[in-house]
Amino acid sequence: MGVGQAPSLKRLNVRFNGIKGTFPSDIQKLSTLEDLMISYNDFTGTLPKYLEDMTNLRSLLMTSNYFSGHLGGVNMPGSMRFLDISDNDLTGSIPESFMTLVPFSAAIEVDFSDNLLTGHIPSDLVRFDHLNLYLANNKITGGDKELCKKQYWNDGDVGKYGCDGLLCPAGTYSLNGRQKDDESPCERCGLQTGDLPYMGMDVCESSKASTRGIALTVSIAASLSVLLLSL
């Protein structure tokens, strides 16, 4: 990208450019960078471990790329306040160390939605009082109940709705994968919990199946109509 030639750069926005390749290696030369926006491109590969050394980086937006692999060994710098890594192909569990460099007094927003992350929500996050944490549509299977007592998390939704304000339980769904107001409760899917084993789903598998079934029925009916008219 050639951005290493601008060592005093504070803000870099290259969203919506169809850029391919791995995470730009020149980024690590930008010691003064505060805001990095590389969303809506075609970046691939894993996240670099040098991110924790970018001690001025406050916001990192990487949504809608093709980043993959585990997050083990990747730590956010203590300066981080807004991280959006949603809609990628990240796998494995979220490591306990992922945000350990960020001071507990910070107000943070982290979006992991729409990846392939597994396991439990890191219990270490309980040290934050002000955290917006979005995890919908992954393969999360649990989390420490103490996280459900964080009154100010998710703009106060966890304080109002408990665990449902963080993620809908397995076997249920809501528009955002969690309850964010009185009109969006976590509703049961009408399936056995084992059929929908993950937390934070925004749609039921049964709903998708029903939609496909309706579409197939309409298609068959249309074909029969055409056949009968041709007789």
Side-chain angles (χ1 to χ4, degrees):
M1 295 177 66
V3 294
Q5 304 301 315
S8 299
L9 193 67
K10 290 189 175 183
R11 181 181 176 88
L12 178 61
N13 184 352
V14 293
R15 296 178 297 171
F16 301 101
N17 275 288
I19 302 172
K20 301 180 185 296
T22 57
F23 197 97
S25 59
D26 279 359
I27 294 295
Q28 63 184 312
K29 300 176 183 178
L30 304 179
S31 59
T32 61
L33 192 66
E34 297 178 359
D35 304 296
L36 175 60
M37 292 154 280
I38 60 174
S39 301
Y40 304 101
N41 282 292
D42 296 314
F43 287 112
T44 56
T46 58
L47 300 186
K49 295 181 180 180
Y50 63 72
L51 286 173
E52 66 178 277
D53 298 322
M54 301 186 67
T55 55
N56 287 301
L57 191 62
R58 294 181 56 85
S59 66
L60 177 56
L61 281 62
M62 300 182 285
T63 188
S64 297
N65 279 286
Y66 298 96
F67 289 115
S68 59
H70 291 207
L71 292 172
V74 178
N75 301 322
M76 292 297 106
S79 54
M80 184 62 63
R81 297 297 180 268
F82 182 36
L83 172 66
D84 186 354
I85 195 171
S86 61
D87 193 21
N88 279 279
D89 298 317
L90 299 175
T91 55
S93 60
I94 304 169
E96 293 282 345
S97 61
F98 192 73
M99 300 291 287
T100 53
L101 298 178
V102 180
F104 70 89
S105 58
I108 315 165
E109 182 164 320
V110 182
D111 194 342
F112 286 115
S113 302
D114 297 293
N115 278 282
L116 301 168
L117 296 168
T118 57
H120 285 212
I121 305 169
S123 57
D124 178 72
L125 295 176
V126 74
R127 66 194 185 91
F128 294 107
D129 286 329
H130 297 274
L131 172 65
N132 288 348
L133 179 64
Y134 306 124
L135 290 160
N137 297 320
N138 279 283
K139 297 182 178 181
I140 303 298
T141 52
D144 193 320
K145 293 295 184 183
E146 291 300 311
L147 301 177
C148 303
K149 300 176 182 179
K150 304 303 292 186
Q151 183 177 358
Y152 302 110
W153 279 24
N154 289 359
D155 292 324
D157 294 340
V158 175
K160 292 179 184 177
Y161 306 113
C163 291
D164 286 3
L166 187 56
L167 281 178
C168 286
T172 69
Y173 76 104
S174 183
L175 181 62
N176 297 283
R178 65 183 186 87
Q179 184 169 4
K180 62 176 298 183
D181 53 43
D182 293 339
E183 285 70 46
S184 63
C186 298
E187 301 183 73
R188 294 209 63 82
C189 291
L191 301 172
Q192 295 296 321
T193 301
D195 295 329
L196 197 65
Y198 306 120
M199 303 171 67
M201 296 293 100
D202 66 0
V203 67
C204 278
E205 291 180 354
S206 59
S207 298
K208 293 180 180 178
S210 298
T211 301
R212 287 196 296 267
I214 292 169
L216 180 60
T217 301
V218 171
S219 177
I220 292 172
S223 298
L224 286 173
S225 298
V226 171
L227 178 60
L228 289 172
L229 288 172
S230 65
L231 293 176

